[in-house]
Amino acid sequence: MTMHGSCSCGNFNVRWQTVDYSVVPRQCQCDYCLEKECAYVSKSGSRIDVSVARRHFHRTVRQGSKRALFHECGHCGDLVLVTVEIEGEVFGALNASCMTNRQGFSPVLTVDFSHEAEQEKVQRWSKNWCSPVRIQE
C-alpha cells in the first residue's frame, strides 16, 4: 500500500510504502513538537521516499538529544518528517498531518519520552520507525 503526503506548499512530496494503514499517531510532549502541532506515524519495515522540489527551502533542525534530524519546509514552515541515522541506515517517522489517509488514522496518542536515555531512544527508533528513508533534492 502506498500513502502520499506533502507539506502545505507542496515543496516536500512524500511517498510511504507501508504494509497497512493501521497506525496510531504519537504526539511527543516536548516544546518543539507541541509548537509544531505534529504527531508522528511510522511502521517498521516500511519505506519512505521524499522529494524536495526547492532544496533551498529544505531546513533541518536538531532538538532534544540532538541525535534526530527534523525536516521542515522553510517556505510554509511545516515539519514533514524526522530521521535518524543508526549504523549507516536511515530511519524515519512522518508527521501525520502531512499525510493523506482516506481511511483516517487512529486517535492521537500522547507520549513522553523525556525520561529515556539516548540508547533507549536509539533502540526504540530502530525498532519502530520506517526504513529505508530516501530524501531526494
Side-chain angles (χ1 to χ4, degrees):
M1 294 179 222
T2 302
M3 189 181 302
H4 296 275
S6 68
C7 61
S8 296
C9 71
N11 187 44
F12 278 72
N13 283 291
V14 177
R15 191 173 120 196
W16 181 21
Q17 292 179 286
T18 184
V19 293
D20 62 50
Y21 298 133
S22 63
V23 293
V24 178
R26 299 167 314 277
Q27 185 178 44
C28 175
Q29 296 301 291
C30 77
D31 291 341
Y32 174 76
C33 291
L34 288 174
E35 177 186 321
K36 291 292 183 177
E37 298 179 358
C38 63
Y40 301 99
V41 290
S42 63
K43 188 72 117 176
S44 178
S46 62
R47 178 186 179 106
I48 297 172
D49 290 292
V50 179
S51 63
V52 181
R54 296 167 298 194
R55 63 186 257 187
H56 59 279
F57 285 127
H58 182 185
R59 182 171 56 205
T60 57
V61 177
R62 293 195 186 269
Q63 294 292 318
S65 68
K66 309 286 190 232
R67 179 80 189 258
L69 195 58
F70 295 84
H71 299 265
E72 301 176 351
C73 178
H75 185 258
C76 66
D78 286 351
L79 169 60
V80 179
L81 75 155
V82 58
T83 61
V84 66
E85 186 174 331
I86 303 169
E87 297 179 9
E89 191 171 350
V90 179
F91 293 82
L94 295 159
N95 182 354
S97 67
C98 292
M99 302 304 299
T100 302
N101 181 353
R102 294 190 175 135
Q103 276 79 45
F105 291 116
S106 298
V108 172
L109 176 67
T110 300
V111 294
D112 182 1
F113 299 116
S114 62
H115 63 281
E116 285 184 335
E118 183 173 343
Q119 189 57 34
E120 290 174 300
K121 289 179 184 187
V122 169
Q123 287 175 347
R124 177 174 45 83
W125 294 333
S126 64
K127 180 181 175 186
N128 298 315
W129 283 13
C130 306
S131 185
V133 177
R134 306 279 188 254
I135 300 174
Q136 183 180 10
E137 295 183 304

